[in-house]
Amino acid sequence: MADKPSRGLVVYGDGLARYINESHTQLHSLASRASCGFLSLPNSPPSESEDVRIVREFAELLDASEAYHNTSGVDTAEIQYQKYVVPSISDRFMGMRSAIITNNSSLITFGGKLGFKMLQWSDIIDNSHPNYESPPDVVASKVLKLLGFQQGKTSEKSPFDLVFIHIGEGDKNGQKSTGNLNGLVGQIMHIEEQEHEISSRLHLSLVMSYGPVSEGDVPNYSVVGKDENNSNLSLLFPRQSYTVKGRNLRDNVRHYCPMLTAQWQNAVTRKDSVETFSFADFKEHGGLLTIPADRFLHEIAFKLWKAPKYGA
């Protein structure tokens, strides 16, 4: 643990894991110095629209699936919510001030219900540089300012303790979005490397998901070994913790295409033997192994001194 509360930045590449290649050197660089692993998701409902999937999977990251399922109806353009009392993010995590940056209208509605400050890219970037396609150094400095990091210094007070950045495929051009994300991550890492006062207080997480998938489409992306799927041998393998909640088995666990996550804070997080931001490398060398996606926010809150213990 750090000697002072950290401030958290989570960069979420929604559906972009499938587009990562050798050219995305900044993503691989982050993985090579980070603690890496998987976040397991529930199975997708049949005939799920893309807009609904985006909100459902993001709700898992926020441990807010109960709030998500309390809906009065779903439409591909807009999600309507019942009058359901949802504990705010501040109430759940010791007054934690949190924001989400996204241009997705459904996420804006959902995040607002959870007590997040919802920001669009136009709220933080000059209109002459629309969203995260602006120069990476401009975007990085604006985002870090939200966490109280500016000109190499850390303000004692900051607008937020935690900021999520949501970047999706956008205009069906996943390769372009992944390139933009790669540049943003690289610039944030550069600032951390140059400014020790920032690097000792900033906890950076990169989360990448595969988007809409089916088991037949991605046979090589299973977190379960071949022998574990063999009904004759399955009893020989211990039950993995990501399949359990409390004393009960989770009845809806997707064992393939998890979210990939890398976490880095200078002198705080463990460095694994991972060299590339890839499923195969994470499975072979990642130290975080697999945890349920709904535990992710709890782990981050603990790093920010906003939860009494890990996994709380």
Side-chain angles (χ1 to χ4, degrees), residues 66-276:
E66 183 178 359
Y68 165 75
H69 288 298
N70 278 271
T71 62
S72 59
V74 177
D75 183 84
T76 55
E78 183 178 2
I79 297 178
Q80 304 292 332
Y81 296 94
Q82 291 178 339
K83 292 182 178 180
Y84 171 70
V85 178
V86 181
S88 71
I89 186 71
S90 178
D91 291 338
R92 292 171 62 197
F93 295 105
M94 300 169 63
M96 185 165 68
R97 297 158 299 152
S98 307
I100 298 173
I101 304 172
T102 181
N103 282 344
N104 182 280
S105 59
S106 295
L107 273 185
I108 291 172
T109 300
F110 182 68
K113 291 283 186 180
L114 300 178
F116 285 86
K117 175 68 174 180
M118 301 306 298
L119 301 171
Q120 298 186 60
W121 287 104
S122 58
D123 295 324
I124 61 172
I125 303 296
D126 187 276
N127 288 335
S128 63
H129 298 293
N131 64 47
Y132 52 85
E133 295 180 9
S134 309
D137 58 331
V138 174
V139 180
S141 64
K142 293 285 189 179
V143 170
L144 292 177
K145 186 177 180 180
L146 296 175
L147 293 166
F149 302 125
Q150 191 173 13
Q151 297 180 340
K153 301 296 183 181
T154 303
S155 301
E156 287 304 313
K157 294 184 178 181
S158 62
F160 302 103
D161 304 301
L162 174 65
V163 172
F164 277 85
I165 297 176
H166 172 263
I167 299 177
E169 290 188 44
D171 299 323
K172 304 301 181 181
N173 193 338
Q175 193 61 247
K176 182 178 181 181
S177 295
T178 308
N180 291 333
L181 185 149
N182 178 71
L184 174 59
V185 169
Q187 189 60 39
I188 293 169
M189 290 171 59
H190 174 73
I191 293 173
E192 283 204 69
E193 290 167 347
Q194 297 296 315
E195 306 294 347
H196 175 74
E197 187 173 327
I198 292 178
S199 68
S200 64
R201 301 288 298 279
L202 176 61
H203 186 277
L204 173 64
S205 299
L206 174 62
V207 178
M208 303 286 280
S209 73
Y210 285 96
V213 294
S214 64
E215 190 169 12
D217 295 335
V218 282
N220 296 323
Y221 294 154
S222 175
V223 297
V224 179
K226 293 181 180 180
D227 290 338
E228 293 178 72
N229 280 327
N230 186 322
S231 58
N232 295 323
L233 298 175
S234 60
L235 294 178
L236 299 177
F237 292 88
R239 177 70 64 176
Q240 299 299 305
S241 60
Y242 75 90
T243 65
V244 179
K245 187 172 185 178
R247 296 184 177 182
N248 302 315
L249 294 179
R250 292 176 181 260
D251 58 6
N252 183 20
V253 179
R254 193 174 83 189
H255 298 288
Y256 59 92
C257 286
M259 294 177 173
L260 281 64
T261 181
Q263 298 182 22
W264 177 50
Q265 183 175 355
N266 186 41
V268 174
T269 52
R270 179 188 63 245
K271 180 181 181 298
D272 295 335
S273 299
V274 170
E275 295 182 355
T276 62

